Amino acid sequence: MTDQQNTTHFGFQQVPVQEKQRKVADVFHSVAARYDLMNDLLSGGIHRLWKRFTIEVSGVRYGHKVLDIAGGTGDLAFKFSRLVGEDGQVVLADINSSMLNVGRDRLIDRGAVGNVQFAQANAECLPFPDNTFDCITIAFGLRNVTDKDKALRSMLRVLKPGGRLLVLEFSKPGNPLLGKAYDNYSFHVMPVIGKAIAGDADSYRYLAESIRMHPDQETLKSMMQDAGFAECEFYNMTGGVVALHKGVKP
Amino acid sequence: MPAVNTGSTFKASLLMALESAINNSLAYDPATQQSLHQLDGKVLHIACTVPSQSVYVLFVGNHVELWSLFESSPDTTLSGTPSAFLALWRARSKTTALTDSGITLTGDSAVLQQLQQISATLDIDWEALIAEHTGDVIAHQLGRFARGANAWLHTARREAERLMSEFLQFESNTVPSRHEVQGFCRDVDDVQLRVDRLQASIEQFRKSRKS
């Protein structure tokens, strides 16, 4: 990820490590207002099924404490807030203030109050005590984190023993034909729709590039194991376009 | 460990649509929605044996969720064939429905009993639902038509069942009447009882001769 000159990737570009966070923040400040609409348009609504499967695998029950990192507009947090009930707690965390504001407004509008808290937090250094959460989810957020290993270690620290980490992220399709079609869609269709709807082709080009720079299924699984997670496995969805990784704190 | 390919996007979308339809319909029956709070936090596992499919029904507050996977133990599991589930759904007598249908129940049976009680009082205001799209007048006309059609179908079905039963029992003599069957069963029970008594008497006689 980081070469000798202390740079890291931002899509296909190499940028100084300190600059990546600002550039990613700019992307999400730009797309926050239309994030949900764009997700529906770009995925054909399938992102709802991917998130639904994540909830099913989470094993979250009444009274649990859940941390939703890079929670964005609060899709997962809303579902979790219903599942954990009034005795549980959900923390919606996002490093980006624009996304967090949109998420908070949406959750309040949908009546998810009382057991939901909001935190503007960096996944690399989570501001929570050790052994706090029963479950942590990070959906479509890990690829934007500068130091993924540090973030995984930070998540491990705040998870309770036996707690689960679920990483939902774009990945590598298993079928070469699907991969080719997916590449064409990502690099030619996504920026055009991004420009037409959100008025921002560059941000959607970055999203496509960042997906290609993200570790594939096996690599991410190894990273989770190296961070200290046990029982690591992953579930491919939609032919591997998206993968859900699961790890348990020993 | 190898990757697990879920391959169930279609099933997930089907469950999502069904869940949405159920919850939208329940919104037009506030009493039932309120009753669902009794089941808050409970999980019912419906396992179809042929084809092998599972659905988990989660009761969360005043709505239900349908999941294809549940990473914990459900409170109640019902397993059986699709026809058995259909028989359970259509059973008139809720007390004998489970044994008659061929469904296997494991876990807490109270969940099913509560669910049966709640579904017995289900009264969705379809007219209000339709009125949102068509207006009150058309919805009322449609409601009247539907109620009339339902009443006619109900009467027609009952009448057809009665006529068919009478034809088979009295006209064609293909099957015996309920009373004949009950009388026959009583006679069989009586014979069984007498044989048991005779056998006991013989045993007693045999023992007294030996001694």
Side-chain angles (χ1 to χ4, degrees):
Chain A
M1 183 202 303
T2 310
D3 66 14
Q4 287 168 339
Q5 285 77 43
N6 213 18
T7 62
T8 186
H9 60 81
F10 174 75
F12 290 161
Q13 301 170 36
Q14 283 294 315
V15 296
V17 168
Q18 300 82 351
E19 208 178 306
K20 175 166 176 174
Q21 211 172 83
R22 186 185 56 75
K23 279 178 163 288
V24 171
D26 289 344
V27 167
F28 283 93
H29 283 308
S30 164
V31 302
R34 303 214 163 200
Y35 190 74
D36 279 339
L37 174 68
M38 289 302 293
N39 276 350
D40 278 334
L41 273 176
L42 294 172
S43 73
I46 299 176
H47 73 101
R48 293 175 192 280
L49 298 177
W50 297 332
K51 288 173 182 166
R52 189 185 168 87
F53 184 69
T54 306
I55 302 263
E56 291 179 7
V57 174
S58 71
V60 167
R61 298 295 303 266
Y62 189 86
H64 279 186
K65 286 180 102 172
V66 182
L67 172 63
D68 182 18
I69 303 173
T73 51
D75 280 347
L76 289 175
F78 176 69
K79 281 273 192 187
F80 283 134
S81 78
R82 287 173 140 185
L83 287 173
V84 301
E86 55 192 22
D87 290 339
Q89 189 187 35
V90 179
V91 178
L92 173 64
D94 204 303
I95 193 170
N96 189 282
S97 60
S98 299
M99 294 296 289
L100 198 61
N101 284 335
V102 172
R104 183 172 54 191
D105 290 347
R106 253 189 91 203
L107 286 175
I108 292 170
D109 288 349
R110 296 172 81 184
V113 287
N115 62 357
V116 184
Q117 294 186 328
F118 303 90
Q120 187 171 1
N122 186 340
E124 293 171 17
C125 39
L126 291 165
F128 304 104
D130 296 359
N131 309 322
T132 304
F133 297 100
D134 297 285
C135 179
I136 296 179
T137 56
I138 176 165
F140 306 113
L142 190 65
R143 70 175 190 280
N144 298 311
V145 175
T146 309
D147 190 340
K148 295 176 183 58
D149 294 313
K150 192 175 172 189
L152 289 170
R153 287 196 299 274
S154 177
M155 293 174 208
L156 184 75
R157 181 182 64 77
V158 299
L159 260 181
K160 288 179 186 172
R164 292 173 186 205
L165 168 67
L166 297 169
V167 181
L168 180 65
E169 192 53 270
F170 289 104
S171 208
K172 301 282 183 287
N175 184 315
L177 273 177
L178 177 64
K180 188 93 179 151
Y182 178 50
D183 276 348
N184 279 323
Y185 175 75
S186 305
F187 290 109
H188 299 113
V189 181
M190 262 172 63
V192 174
I193 298 177
K195 188 169 177 55
I197 306 293
D200 183 358
D202 290 340
S203 292
Y204 284 90
R205 193 166 296 115
Y206 159 72
L207 292 180
E209 290 176 4
S210 66
I211 291 167
R212 298 309 178 281
M213 298 304 291
H214 187 67
D216 64 14
Q217 287 91 328
E218 287 295 346
T219 312
L220 181 55
K221 188 177 142 188
S222 303
M223 286 167 69
M224 288 173 68
Q225 285 166 335
D226 293 345
F229 285 95
E231 298 175 39
C232 296
E233 59 179 331
F234 61 85
Y235 302 81
N236 277 328
M237 289 184 271
T238 319
V241 168
V242 162
L244 175 68
H245 283 72
K246 184 178 87 174
V248 177
K249 181 171 179 175
Chain B
M1 189 183 292
V4 181
N5 198 327
T6 58
S8 58
T9 309
F10 177 70
K11 184 181 173 187
S13 52
L14 208 66
L15 287 179
M16 202 164 140
L18 188 60
E19 177 189 299
S20 175
I22 291 171
N23 287 319
N24 286 342
S25 305
L26 284 175
Y28 292 89
D29 185 0
T32 300
Q33 258 192 335
Q34 202 59 34
S35 308
L36 280 177
H37 279 286
Q38 297 167 24
L39 292 168
D40 194 9
K42 300 286 184 191
V43 180
L44 172 66
H45 177 202
I46 298 173
C48 181
T49 47
V50 185
S52 179
Q53 289 292 335
S54 272
V55 175
Y56 295 88
V57 185
L58 281 83
F59 298 93
V60 184
N62 62 358
H63 75 283
V64 295
E65 303 217 349
L66 304 179
W67 290 10
S68 57
L69 190 78
F70 187 69
E71 297 257 324
S72 188
S73 303
D75 297 287
T76 309
T77 299
L78 294 176
S79 52
T81 59
S83 56
F85 280 109
L86 195 66
L88 179 66
W89 177 258
R90 296 180 59 181
R92 287 182 192 170
S93 165
K94 298 297 177 195
T95 47
T96 58
L98 202 62
T99 43
D100 291 349
S101 63
I103 297 278
T104 308
L105 182 145
T106 45
D108 183 7
S109 62
V111 173
L112 187 67
Q113 283 170 354
Q114 278 177 308
L115 190 60
Q116 280 179 328
Q117 281 166 7
I118 292 169
S119 63
T121 57
L122 186 70
D123 184 19
I124 294 166
D125 188 357
W126 297 108
E127 242 179 72
L129 203 157
I130 297 166
E132 281 192 4
H133 304 283
T134 61
D136 287 343
V137 177
I138 295 175
H140 180 63
Q141 296 297 334
L142 285 171
R144 260 182 57 182
F145 174 76
R147 277 191 294 275
N150 187 40
W152 183 84
L153 280 172
H154 186 68
T155 313
R157 198 186 77 178
R158 254 193 359 210
E159 199 61 15
E161 279 175 2
R162 188 181 63 78
L163 287 172
M164 179 62 78
S165 162
E166 280 179 8
F167 174 77
L168 291 172
Q169 288 173 21
F170 307 118
E171 304 284 333
S172 67
N173 284 326
T174 315
V175 291
S177 70
R178 180 186 292 268
H179 299 297
E180 284 174 319
V181 172
Q182 282 172 346
F184 176 74
C185 290
R186 267 199 306 274
D187 289 346
V188 170
D189 288 344
D190 192 41
V191 169
Q192 175 77 47
L193 194 65
R194 283 163 186 267
V195 168
D196 288 347
R197 281 179 181 157
L198 182 63
Q199 193 176 2
S201 302
I202 292 169
E203 282 297 318
Q204 201 176 15
F205 180 67
R206 199 178 279 160
K207 276 179 192 168
S208 64
R209 278 200 64 190
K210 275 184 188 170
S211 60

